Amino acid sequence: PTPTPTPPPTPKQVSTTLLGVCVTPGLVKLLLGGAVAVDAAAVLRSTASIVLLPLLAGVAAGRVCPGAASRVAPACPALGILATLLLVTGGAANSSAALLRGGAAAWRLHAGAVLLPFLAGAVALCLGRLSGLGERGVRTLTMETMVKSPTLAYVLASKHFGSEVAAAPAASMVWLAAVGAGVAIAWRRLVPFEDTQSQV
């Protein structure tokens, strides 16, 4: 049978990453009441080299060589997990001094890394319920919001802002998998999806 090429990413998937570069300075100004000097062109170049170029290369490979892409596709989830583990390990190792030091600063760093996904997930859950999404949509929106990977933030912070700033996304990289998995398991067991479907 003719292999089916991997579908390209949607415009939403690509645009949200680039939108974050533009929106983040505004959020900093709104939430912190100050501004952070950012070389926007350099950050956009880094984002393009880290995200867009590999993405476009993968889409092009799937279109040009669909047979090879279909053979490689089953191994991609495992390779993705391995790559993520390497990035998390590297980020934690490079920021170990900030992550392991004692004092209030370190505790605030870890507390923020744990509380931020919960807060973001709670906001997403409320907005999903208010918007009338179905249960599947609400759960998807909530979990996707909670477990947004801080890996790109870590790479950009390391490259453009220094190791002290990179410690925050490094802490998130360490905690996020545990937080996301814990919430997903608890949600599934405490409020089974099948039960919510039967109530509709």
Side-chain angles (χ1 to χ4, degrees):
T2 304
T4 303
T6 303
T10 64
K12 183 186 295 185
Q13 292 170 320
V14 177
S15 63
T16 51
T17 299
L18 296 178
L19 185 62
V21 178
C22 303
V23 172
T24 300
L27 288 175
V28 171
K29 176 70 173 178
L30 176 66
L31 299 176
L32 302 182
V36 177
V38 176
D39 186 345
V43 173
L44 282 172
R45 283 195 299 270
S46 296
T47 303
S49 65
I50 295 168
V51 178
L52 291 184
L53 290 183
L55 186 64
L56 293 175
V59 171
R63 292 297 181 90
V64 175
C65 307
S70 65
R71 288 191 294 271
V72 173
C76 287
L79 291 175
I81 292 173
L82 178 61
T84 301
L85 288 174
L86 291 175
L87 286 169
V88 171
T89 303
N94 290 336
S95 302
S96 59
L99 296 178
L100 297 177
R101 70 187 176 195
W107 283 110
R108 285 196 297 268
L109 187 66
H110 290 288
V114 173
L115 292 175
L116 182 60
F118 280 112
L119 177 61
V123 172
L125 177 64
C126 292
L127 291 177
R129 298 282 191 215
L130 291 173
S131 66
L133 282 177
E135 183 66 19
R136 185 181 299 276
V138 169
R139 293 192 182 212
T140 300
L141 176 65
T142 302
M143 294 308 300
E144 283 290 328
T145 304
M146 280 192 68
V147 299
K148 277 296 182 185
S149 174
T151 305
L152 177 60
Y154 171 77
V155 174
L156 294 177
S158 299
K159 186 171 183 179
H160 298 283
F161 301 104
S163 58
E164 283 296 318
V165 176
S172 294
M173 289 166 65
V174 173
W175 284 104
L176 193 61
V179 170
V183 169
I185 292 171
W187 201 353
R188 175 70 179 179
R189 290 185 177 178
L190 296 175
V191 188
F193 181 71
E194 293 80 5
D195 291 353
T196 61
Q197 290 295 95
S198 64
Q199 295 171 7
V200 176

